[in-house]
Each structure stands twice: as C-alpha cells, then as structure tokens.
Amino acid sequence: MMLLLLVVLAYTVSSTQSQCLTAQDDRYNKGQTAHQELMRSQLDFSLSLFKAVGSQQPSDNIFISPLSIYNALLLAYFASRGHTEESLHKFLFLPASQDKLDMLLSYRVQRLLTASGAYKSQVNTANRLFVSVEQTILDCMTEYFNDEIEMVDFSGRGLARAVDRINSWVAQKTNNNIQNMVSADGINPGTQLILANAAYFKGTWKTQFDERDTRSGSFFVNKDKSVMVPMMYQQETFKHWRSDEAGAEIVDLPYKGNNISLLLLLPDPSREMYPAASLLKRLNSTTVRNIIRESVDPRNDDKVEIRIPKFNVERTLELTAILESMGIGDLFRSTSDLTGLTGGPRIRLNSAIHKAKIQVDEKGTEAAAATALTDTRIPGSSFLCDRPFIYLLLDKTSDIDRATLLFAGIYNDPTK
C-alpha cells in the first residue's frame, strides 16, 4: 500500500497586478511535444528530489511520491509570475522552449490519462487549491483550473468547517488511509491558500507470493547490526539483471496490468555504513533511464528465486528546507510572486508538508500521499534482498523513455 499527501500553506502579503498564463493565451501551443517534454522533466526532477532527501537522511527509511510533489509545484508554477515563475521553470526542469500554456495542455493530458481506464483502478492522484473566500480568483484561472480550485472560509467562524472539508478531501483521495492531515492549530489566522496534493496506489502482483512460503530471515542493516524479518519467497520468471553502471542487482516485479512495476535495486555487497544511500548517489538520469529500458528487455527474463522482506513505511516530511537547498528560489519567502492566481493581493507560500505511506506484502502493494550498458545476467538465478535497498514504483504506460516515477524509497532498517 502506498499513500501520499503534500500540503502547502500560504499567507497574504500586499501587491497588485493582472494577467493570465502568458501574453498570448489564445496562440497555438505545442501539444504532444509539450507532453513528452513534461514527462522527461518529471523524471529529472524526481531523481533530483529523491537524491536530495536521501542525502539528508542516509540511515532512515525513506518514502516519497516525486510525481505528486512535482504536480503540486507545477500548480504553484501556474500561479507564479516574474522572477518566481522563472525560478520554478528552471527548478522543475521545464524546457526553455515551453511556457505555461504548453505545460497546461500537457498537465491536462496527464490528468485525463490517470483518470480513465484500467489506470484509474490502480492510481489516483489529485490536486486541490483551497482558497480563502476573501480572495478573488482571476476569471481565466477559474476557467483553467475549475476542477482544482475550491473556496473555503479560513476565518475564525469558518475555520473548523474548512479543516473538516480539507481532511475529508484528503481521506477520500487516499482511500481513508490518511486522516486528520491538517488541524485548526496548524493554520495561521492569515492563511489564504492551502495547496494540497494526494496520491493513492493499490496494485496486486502479477504473480503473487504464497503466504505459506513466508519465513523469518535475517536483514543486515549494516556490518554490525542484523534483525529478523518476515521474508516473502517465490520462484518465477522476472526481469532480473545486474547493472555495472549502477553497481546493483535489479529485479522488476510487475503488477497486474503490466504497465506498473516495482523495481528493487540491491547495492553490491560492501562494508559501507550506508550502502543504499551510496547507490542513490551513483544514480543519474541516464542511469535510471537505462535501468528502465533494461526492465522491458526480454533478454533479461530469468527464472529466479526471490526473497524480499514484507515492510511498512509511513513518513511525514517537511519539504521546505529540502526544496530550498535544491534551489527552488524564493517560493517560500516574502519576495515570491504568486499573483497569477488572484492578481493581488500577493499570496505567499509558507511551508510544504509531504506525508506518505507504503505497505508491501504477499498480495501486492498499497500506497498513498504518491548510453550503452554493460549489464549482464546473473548466474545462480537468485535475488536475496537481505540488506538496505532502493525501490522505485514506475508507470511504464507511455513511451518507455518517458516512464513516470510514481513513488520512490529506501528501506534501510526494519526497526525504524
């Protein structure tokens, strides 16, 4: 199970200005090209964020949804202007040749894809801008983001109802896995905007593990510490290979539907204190794209014995400092310009909080919030995941070179 939630709080400062997404919103946009570019940008951002979180918490269990964080920040980008717009454009890895209008069409295409067909039964992502009734939304923004904007009363009289409404929306979008995300105590009386993002995933393994085969086994946290954990087992044909480029053994576990899978990256044995964190440092956009390509290569089909731990991880992450260390600019400072939503007075984002939860067991996974290779097949046909590892939950529905990283994590220590 995987759950994820991102909440951004915003407050008011004064200013006046009026315009919409671009100087020429009615011009022809780049359509499919923009969507392809956005998919590439998402993966670049996802890896950058994952590496930033991992470097700050090398010994902890980590679980985030880069896609959901990206989508939340993309909404902030649509509401931004001036220097803040320029900073977010660069921070989100958006191509210089694309502007807000191009990105808006791509954003809409992606929402349609995730809200239809078999995909919807597995993944649910949603954004919501809870805006104070004291604000007046620009007509064009209401038209563009009618599904995302909801007016609420943050004043003393209406605050309790606003909190209940936000928590109700979060619970609904995460299948009731995240409750009471915000509280009246956590909202400043000057709050004018809460930007919320929730993601939920529930997938059944294409080939399930038999509970009767689950046995207690050792998990080696580091060279000085080991703990006993329930280890799931099965022998089946999976994509299984070793990446010399990454320095890791990799297996791809597909969910029913074949488009979404969980990649497990097991670092080569070493005496490092934090081997999974070291593996994460070695990953870059090229390496990850190569790994994704290998995950669909039939030459990597292998009848393999797999042993992996059952695990649960739930994390709340204050993102503000991490995003600022990555170079997000002044988004969370008084100098930021988000007047693209209301035209004025200026709304300033105060903080970003991310909450995510994952459960991996014999039946599958439930979660909520959200170059040339030298790889070779591994002799022995076994994958024993008994030490810290990285896991990537990927959607490979589109062109494989534009796969989406839905969730990412490091499992370091079963006792945490």
Side-chain angles (χ1 to χ4, degrees), residues 122-175:
Q122 292 181 292
V123 180
N124 182 24
T125 65
N127 292 317
R128 185 60 56 95
L129 293 162
F130 294 98
V131 186
S132 169
V133 294
E134 297 176 0
Q135 295 292 325
T136 301
I137 308 297
L138 293 174
D139 290 342
C140 59
M141 294 298 284
T142 300
E143 179 180 353
Y144 288 145
F145 300 102
N146 183 62
D147 292 340
E148 286 89 352
I149 294 174
E150 181 173 342
M151 308 303 292
V152 293
D153 184 1
F154 290 115
S155 68
R157 180 181 301 178
L159 181 57
R161 288 193 300 272
V163 169
D164 287 345
R165 172 57 193 146
I166 294 169
N167 286 332
S168 175
W169 181 85
V170 169
Q172 176 191 1
K173 297 301 179 182
T174 60
N175 199 32

Side-chain angles (χ1 to χ4, degrees), residues 237-278:
T237 298
F238 296 104
K239 299 293 189 297
H240 176 224
W241 72 102
R242 184 184 183 282
S243 169
D244 290 334
E245 188 180 16
E249 182 181 354
I250 304 172
V251 69
D252 180 277
L253 302 179
Y255 298 96
K256 286 185 177 179
N258 293 323
N259 294 324
I260 298 177
S261 63
L262 187 70
L263 268 74
L264 302 178
L265 284 68
L266 186 65
D268 291 341
S270 74
R271 296 185 64 82
E272 291 183 273
M273 182 60 70
Y274 307 120
S278 295

Side-chain angles (χ1 to χ4, degrees), residues 110-374:
Q110 186 164 321
R111 284 188 71 250
L112 288 173
L113 289 174
T114 58
S116 60
Y119 193 101
K120 184 178 180 180
S121 66
Q122 292 181 292
V123 180
N124 182 24
T125 65
N127 292 317
R128 185 60 56 95
L129 293 162
F130 294 98
V131 186
S132 169
V133 294
E134 297 176 0
Q135 295 292 325
T136 301
I137 308 297
L138 293 174
D139 290 342
C140 59
M141 294 298 284
T142 300
E143 179 180 353
Y144 288 145
F145 300 102
N146 183 62
D147 292 340
E148 286 89 352
I149 294 174
E150 181 173 342
M151 308 303 292
V152 293
D153 184 1
F154 290 115
S155 68
R157 180 181 301 178
L159 181 57
R161 288 193 300 272
V163 169
D164 287 345
R165 172 57 193 146
I166 294 169
N167 286 332
S168 175
W169 181 85
V170 169
Q172 176 191 1
K173 297 301 179 182
T174 60
N175 199 32
N176 292 315
N177 280 283
I178 294 180
Q179 303 279 342
N180 302 318
M181 183 62 194
V182 299
S183 67
D185 293 338
I187 299 178
N188 187 290
T191 297
Q192 296 294 299
L193 168 71
I194 289 183
L195 192 163
N197 176 280
Y200 174 76
F201 170 82
K202 184 171 185 178
T204 301
W205 299 123
K206 184 178 180 181
T207 304
Q208 293 188 14
F209 293 81
D210 190 330
E211 293 184 20
R212 294 171 297 182
D213 293 330
T214 299
R215 299 285 188 275
S216 183
S218 296
F219 187 93
F220 298 92
V221 177
N222 54 50
K223 60 184 177 65
D224 300 318
K225 177 182 177 182
S226 67
V227 295
M228 299 302 290
V229 298
M231 299 287 284
M232 304 184 296
Y233 168 86
Q234 69 167 295
Q235 184 178 35
E236 189 54 74
T237 298
F238 296 104
K239 299 293 189 297
H240 176 224
W241 72 102
R242 184 184 183 282
S243 169
D244 290 334
E245 188 180 16
E249 182 181 354
I250 304 172
V251 69
D252 180 277
L253 302 179
Y255 298 96
K256 286 185 177 179
N258 293 323
N259 294 324
I260 298 177
S261 63
L262 187 70
L263 268 74
L264 302 178
L265 284 68
L266 186 65
D268 291 341
S270 74
R271 296 185 64 82
E272 291 183 273
M273 182 60 70
Y274 307 120
S278 295
L279 169 58
L280 183 56
K281 288 180 182 179
R282 294 194 295 271
L283 298 181
N284 56 46
S285 295
T286 299
T287 305
V288 171
R289 287 187 170 91
N290 287 336
I291 288 172
I292 295 170
R293 293 186 190 102
E294 290 291 306
S295 74
V296 297
D297 189 336
R299 292 175 297 179
N300 289 324
D301 285 341
D302 188 20
K303 184 81 170 182
V304 58
E305 286 187 293
I306 293 180
R307 290 178 175 85
I308 62 173
K310 293 173 62 172
F311 65 92
N312 297 274
V313 175
E314 184 171 0
R315 286 291 178 267
T316 299
L317 186 63
E318 215 300 323
L319 281 173
T320 311
I322 294 172
L323 295 174
E324 289 188 333
S325 72
M326 292 172 61
I328 198 170
D330 68 349
L331 182 63
F332 300 103
R333 301 176 187 172
S334 60
T335 55
S336 65
D337 185 352
L338 294 175
T339 56
L341 181 63
T342 63
R346 184 176 294 170
I347 292 177
R348 177 174 66 90
L349 293 176
N350 182 64
S351 63
I353 302 169
H354 182 72
K355 186 169 186 177
K357 178 179 179 181
I358 182 171
Q359 176 181 322
V360 175
D361 60 21
E362 290 87 353
K363 294 182 175 60
T365 303
E366 188 176 8
T371 306
L373 290 180
T374 58

